[in-house]
Amino acid sequence: MANLKSGLILGEGENLVMELEAELWASSSNPLAKLIGSVIKFLNLLLGNKRQGFVVITNKRVVEVIQFKALWVLNTGKNVKYLLPSSVKEVGYTKQGTCFGCFCQSYHLYYDAFTQRTSVLLSDVDEAGAQKVVDAFYKAISSAQ
């Protein structure tokens, strides 16, 4: 059994394709946005607040996990959401220029469902890496139908 950072337990015959840790503090790959996000994250860490988000893609399902902690160790909540393949209308990635459009590119995985739209900043990936994530996501939801 693989030990996942999200804490998700894999089922029988289920293999991990990828586990994406969502950047919940910075809004883009822009160095200034990352710096501001790091400062906010550090201030919350001093106060003992922590939140982590994950998108886990396996060969059989796609799962969203968000964990909340207070006072550094107290679990205050955890949201685990299975994405139903029939509810996902669209999956893809967006590429945005940051730092006035020319220095840094940020890639976001997004998926639209009937009830929500989720976007996750993909850190340290290029266009081929973003395409790989989208292909894995699509393969997981299409094989489950």
Side-chain angles (χ1 to χ4, degrees), residues 30-144:
N30 178 338
L32 183 59
K34 281 185 172 182
L35 177 67
I36 292 170
S38 296
V39 169
I40 294 170
K41 184 177 181 178
F42 178 72
L43 292 174
N44 275 291
L45 184 62
L46 287 177
L47 297 172
N49 300 323
K50 187 175 181 182
R51 62 182 177 168
Q52 289 181 298
F54 299 92
V55 175
V56 181
I57 303 170
T58 71
N59 60 336
K60 295 184 178 181
R61 61 186 171 160
V62 178
V63 183
E64 288 181 21
V65 179
I66 300 176
Q67 300 171 342
F68 302 96
K69 292 188 178 185
L71 298 176
W72 301 280
V73 294
L74 300 175
N75 290 322
T76 58
K78 183 174 187 176
N79 298 337
V80 178
K81 198 182 312 184
Y82 286 62
L83 293 174
L84 300 176
S86 60
S87 73
V88 177
K89 297 186 296 184
E90 181 179 332
V91 62
Y93 71 91
T94 60
K95 175 182 174 181
Q96 295 175 325
T98 58
C99 292
F100 306 110
C102 57
F103 299 116
C104 305
Q105 300 296 320
S106 67
Y107 295 91
H108 293 259
L109 166 72
Y110 76 90
Y111 46 94
D112 282 328
F114 288 109
T115 58
Q116 70 181 33
R117 178 185 175 112
T118 302
S119 179
V120 176
L121 175 65
L122 301 172
S123 57
D124 301 325
V125 297
D126 57 359
E127 190 124 11
Q131 184 66 47
K132 181 181 173 187
V133 171
V134 170
D135 289 343
F137 190 106
Y138 179 76
K139 185 176 178 183
I141 63 171
S142 66
S143 69

Side-chain angles (χ1 to χ4, degrees), residues 23-35:
E23 174 58 64
L24 299 176
W25 303 99
S27 59
S28 73
S29 294
N30 178 338
L32 183 59
K34 281 185 172 182
L35 177 67

